[in-house]
Every structure is written in structure tokens, then in C-alpha cells.
Amino acid sequence: MKLNVWTTIGRRKMTARAVPTQMGVPLQSLAGIRVLPALLIFLAHALQYRVFRDDNLHLATTQIFNKVGYESVSFFIVLSGFIITWVASRQRVNGEFIARRFLKIVPSHVILWGICFVVLGWPGLLPAIANLVLVHGWVPNDSYFFSLNVPAWTLCVEVLFYGTFPLVLPWITRRSTKLLWILGTALATVVILLPWVLSIFPDGRTLSEPAFLTGADQVDVSQWKFWLVYLFPPIRLIECVIGAIVCTIFMRRSWPTVSPYLVAILTVLAIVYATLWAPFLVALTSLTLVPIVLIVAGIANAEWRLGRSHA
């Protein structure tokens, strides 16, 4: 069943074939599955500390969860683009809509910034201010992007996405489905190939962190390459836009049904290769992007079919 849903973007009205409303609360399954990548990210951070006394067990658990933690961040970024596009299909995208998104992240960030300042100490005036106003992810220097509340670099990406969303979404919704497939493929190709292309350039200054692993070996990583591949907001924005494109195609009922067994196989293969053999920068985002997109769209599609069968 296909319905015409009217959405208002600023002052412009447009129609799109959207998911039937009998699903109830939208994206309940996707909202629920976020618990798993959140747990994996937590374990990836926690296991950097000496949780197990046995050396072999410590090495094995660190190696297993290290790359999965990085890749789980991509899941959240793609999912953010998908969910906000879904929500925007049912609400007016205006200043109030964007303000509500900011209010979800800013107060807690300010509180955590203060706690990190008390616990970790003063990192310097400019890094502290950059972290507070969420622009530290734009600076290719570890004294900025590793300052105070380190995970807040993801909020730099969210702020950029929320700020550009009122412009990005109308542009996406006016494009044909065929063009969206081409655009989504092109953007995914950029994310996938970027770390491989960067390998031909000099590393410059390198960083050494316990979390920088290739296989079981700790490696030195180029500061500017790590920043560009993993932290730079415009690069990570690409994954948000991919999520928005996938959601738009899905709402038009043009997303193909992919076997969950195939998705599971692709996911396992990508994680195993990233964990055991892939160069560090390659393992961060490029190997699991396609499986993540398939997982997000597959869960949404399964929920829609379930809702339709109960209608």
C-alpha cells in the first residue's frame, strides 16, 4: 500500500510516498537496536584499561572489540541521518524543529564539559573553548580533538548535520529515485576509498594510542589522516546524508528486500577482516559502511512489513 504524505519544508510543500502510519511509533526497532552498538562502543573504551589480568585474554578482547567500537560509531551516524529524515516527513522542518534537536545535546554536553574540566584539568584556553562550542573536531590537532570530553567530537558532526539539514533535505526530496541511488553510491564510494587514497600521501606527525591497532599490534597513525578519515565533520556528514538518502528511497517503497542472511555474512566478513588484517585507517569506516546501510534499511523494512501485516 502506498500513501501520499504531505510534508512542509520551510515554505515549500512536496509529496512523497511514505511508510504507512499503522506502524505506530516510527522506528521502534531501530531505536531499540541502538543499545547493541552503544554497548560495543562502551566495551571498546572500557577494555582499553586492564579489565582482565590474563595477558592473552586482555589482548583477545581488546582486539575483538576495538574495531567494532569504531565501526559502531558509523552505525549511529548513518542511523541519525535516517531517523531525522523519517521524523521530518511527519513534522514541519523549521527553526523550532532544529532548536529541539540542539536542545537534546547542548545541555548535557555543557555539563560533561565541566565535569571533564574538573577531572582532567585545563587543556589550554583555545582547546577548551573549541570543545565547549563543539568545533574541536574541525582542528587537525590532537590537543584539540582529544581535549576534555573526547567523545564530543561526534557532536561536532551532529551540529553540522542539524545546521545543514533544512537545506539538504529539500534538495534530496526533489531528486528522482534513480538520481538518489547514483548519489548515494557516489558518496559511499568516497567514504570507502578515502583511507586507501590517503595511503599514498606522507603521514606527517603520528599518534600512538592503545586503541590504534592493526590486528594485535599497536601502530603509529598519521594525525592528519586519522582526523580526516574519522573525525573531520564534513567527511562524517557524508554518512548522515547517506542515511537521509536511504530513508528517502525507503519511504518511496523503492528499497529492495535483501536477504538478512546475506547481510549477516557481509557484516561478519567485514568485521573479521577489519579486526585481523585491515590497515587501521581502512578498518575505521570503509569496510562496514555498506553492511550498516543494509542493516538500518532492513530493520526498517521488516518493521514496515510487520505493521502492514497487522493492519
Side-chain angles (χ1 to χ4, degrees):
M1 180 173 61
K2 298 178 181 178
L3 301 178
N4 286 327
V5 177
W6 290 90
T7 47
T8 303
I9 310 296
R11 296 181 179 179
R12 186 184 301 271
K13 291 185 177 180
M14 59 194 71
T15 59
R17 290 175 292 171
V19 178
T21 57
Q22 72 265 24
M23 290 179 65
V25 179
L27 302 177
Q28 290 181 351
S29 297
L30 284 178
I33 203 173
R34 287 184 296 183
V35 174
L36 178 58
L39 177 62
L40 294 174
I41 292 172
F42 170 78
L43 289 174
H45 285 284
L47 290 171
Q48 298 304 317
Y49 302 94
R50 196 72 183 189
V51 177
F52 302 105
R53 293 184 178 181
D54 183 81
D55 290 340
N56 292 329
L57 183 59
H58 171 72
L59 179 61
T61 53
T62 300
Q63 184 179 356
I64 290 171
F65 288 101
N66 175 266
K67 295 302 191 311
V68 175
Y70 285 113
E71 293 149 359
S72 295
V73 174
S74 281
F75 182 92
F76 278 109
I77 295 176
V78 173
L79 183 60
S80 292
F82 191 103
I83 287 180
I84 195 173
T85 304
W86 185 297
V87 172
S89 71
R90 291 156 174 78
Q91 299 181 18
R92 183 187 297 271
V93 179
N94 52 21
E96 181 181 356
F97 178 88
I98 299 301
R100 287 199 302 269
R101 318 310 294 188
F102 278 107
L103 287 175
K104 288 185 176 182
I105 63 175
V106 172
S108 58
H109 165 65
V110 173
I111 293 172
L112 287 173
W113 182 89
I115 293 174
C116 289
F117 166 65
V118 172
V119 175
L120 302 176
W122 186 248
L125 179 61
L126 291 180
I129 293 176
N131 192 293
L132 178 62
V133 299
L134 295 175
V135 296
H136 57 297
W138 291 80
V139 184
N141 190 301
D142 63 308
S143 65
Y144 282 79
F145 58 70
F146 280 163
S147 65
L148 291 175
N149 183 17
V150 176
W153 70 265
T154 59
L155 299 183
C156 299
V157 181
E158 287 197 52
V159 167
L160 178 61
F161 185 49
Y162 294 158
T164 57
F165 186 69
L167 301 176
V168 172
L169 182 61
W171 190 91
I172 289 176
T173 54
R174 290 196 297 266
R175 306 283 79 83
S176 68
T177 301
K178 180 179 180 180
L179 183 58
L180 290 181
W181 275 108
I182 294 172
L183 178 61
T185 302
L187 292 176
T189 301
V190 171
V191 174
I192 293 169
L193 293 184
L194 179 61
W196 297 99
V197 172
L198 291 181
S199 65
I200 68 177
F201 294 96
D203 285 344
R205 179 172 175 246
T206 59
L207 302 174
S208 180
E209 295 287 337
F212 292 173
L213 298 176
T214 295
D217 300 321
Q218 184 174 337
V219 295
D220 293 337
V221 177
S222 166
Q223 175 180 251
W224 75 272
K225 292 180 182 179
F226 174 70
W227 167 78
L228 187 61
V229 169
Y230 193 69
L231 303 173
F232 188 41
I235 294 297
R236 301 315 297 260
L237 179 66
I238 294 175
E239 293 169 71
C240 289
V241 174
I242 290 173
I245 291 173
V246 171
C247 184
T248 303
I249 295 173
F250 171 72
M251 288 191 296
R252 294 176 181 177
R253 303 311 310 151
S254 298
W255 188 267
T257 300
V258 181
S259 167
Y261 300 105
L262 176 59
V263 175
I265 292 172
L266 290 175
T267 303
V268 170
L269 289 177
I271 292 174
V272 169
Y273 179 67
T275 301
L276 298 179
W277 301 293
F280 178 76
L281 292 179
V282 173
L284 295 179
T285 58
S286 66
L287 296 177
T288 50
L289 177 60
V290 171
I292 285 170
V293 167
L294 294 176
I295 290 171
V296 170
I299 293 173
N301 191 49
E303 184 167 2
W304 176 78
R305 289 179 178 275
L306 181 62
R308 185 176 64 171
S309 66
H310 291 168

